[in-house]
Amino acid sequence: MSKRQYWLMKSEPEAYSIDDLKRDGQIRWSGVRNYEARNIMRDKMNVGDRAFFYHSNVKPPCIVGEMEVCTEPYPDPLQFDPDSKYFDEKSSESDPRWHLVDVKFIRKFENSVTRDILKEAGLSEMQLFKRNRLSITHVEEEEFIKVLELAGLEPLD
DNA sequence: GCCAACGTTGGC
DNA sequence: GCCAACGTTGGC
């Protein structure tokens, strides 16, 4: 069993929000079409890893909750669907290009943690800030705990 | 709504 | 294989 790792995953709440995840319980993290983000899901994530849910493209952008990786990676079905905006004609079922994992809801923060709060708390070294536009980034364990603290929460087992 | 950052595409 | 053109992300 590998050591649990921590991640941050962005979503525009207009497209899919923490409240949607709370309602659904579990969701396929569909639609990632960036190779680096895909590689993280395909090669780096493990069942049981924890991730922050980050609301992007809103004011203010912020971390709004916690979730857990709950499946092994598998091909994103939308890449095969001609009607989907995520259809990829260069991909095939025999050699799929895009992989994803499912995540499940753990908790929504009562106090979401904005970028400003993160910076003020000395977390400006987070990959979130270093890796402009990358929608999935790695989070150090210490950073993860610090963010929970900022949200007024204790780490879960 | 602007636009900087930056990944992707495609002509050569 | 270079790189200009183009498209997208996402903070501001």
Side-chain angles (χ1 to χ4, degrees), chain A residues 110-156:
Chain A
E110 266 181 58
N111 306 299
S112 52
V113 182
T114 65
R115 292 170 71 88
D116 287 345
I117 292 172
L118 292 172
K119 284 187 236 170
E120 284 161 20
L123 288 170
S124 50
E125 291 302 307
M126 284 178 73
Q127 277 200 43
L128 170 66
F129 297 107
K130 301 290 179 189
R131 302 302 318 278
N132 199 12
R133 302 197 313 147
L134 186 60
S135 68
I136 302 178
T137 53
H138 186 250
V139 177
E140 299 294 337
E141 184 170 22
E142 309 80 66
E143 293 170 339
F144 198 88
I145 291 166
K146 191 80 184 288
V147 171
L148 288 177
E149 237 170 68
L150 294 169
L153 296 168
E154 297 286 330
L156 302 170

